[in-house]
Structures are given as C-alpha cells and as structure tokens.
Amino acid sequence: MSKIPTNSAADIDGAVRISLAERLSAFDIDGTLVADAQEIAEVVDEREHEVIDAFWAHYLKAVPIALRPDAAAVETKKAES
C-alpha cells in the first residue's frame, strides 16, 4: 500500500489529495518560485497574446500533421487562454 504524503488526505475512494503547498514544494526547491513567477508576470504583462501565439506556433510545428488541430480549433483554444 502506498504511503499518503504528509499533510495530504485520502478521499473515500482512496485517491490521495496533495495540498497545493506540497505540489509547489516539488518545483520550488530553492524557494524562489513565487518571486520568479512575479518577475515573469511583470515581463509578460499586456503581452499575453504574444505568448499564446508563440506557444501555438511552436506546438503546431512539433505535433505530427495527422494530430494537428484545424485552424478553427486553434483559434478557439487561443480565445480560451
């Protein structure tokens, strides 16, 4: 049986819920994640659409042609971002 991480709880069905703090600690080894995210947010501020467009341009180049969404689907996803 797997161990439940500290500060986590198991649902009735046995699924483990991990707290946000535990999730962040896995990615914030040196404790700078919040400050780094704030710095990125300041750089990206008011340029979100440029980031979205760059993501989709890169993604569409990386995905095999047969799996690529059509242009309308991409535009819908961009609008949802």
Side-chain angles (χ1 to χ4, degrees):
M1 179 180 273
S2 64
K3 295 173 82 176
I4 298 174
T6 309
N7 298 323
S8 298
D11 290 337
I12 292 173
D13 65 0
V16 175
R17 293 178 294 146
I18 300 172
S19 71
L20 180 58
E22 285 179 295
R23 291 177 191 197
L24 288 177
S25 69
F27 297 95
D28 193 15
I29 296 167
D30 59 0
T32 63
L33 183 64
V34 171
D36 293 344
Q38 289 171 333
E39 182 178 346
I40 292 167
E42 290 171 9
V43 170
V44 173
D45 189 37
E46 304 295 326
R47 299 178 67 192
E48 293 88 355
H49 292 289
E50 291 177 50
V51 174
I52 292 167
D53 290 342
F55 165 81
W56 280 104
H58 178 77
Y59 176 82
L60 292 172
K61 288 178 185 174
V63 174
I65 293 172
L67 300 176
R68 289 182 189 162
D70 61 31
V74 172
E75 290 306 315
T76 299
K77 291 291 187 187
K78 285 182 180 182
E80 293 172 353
S81 299

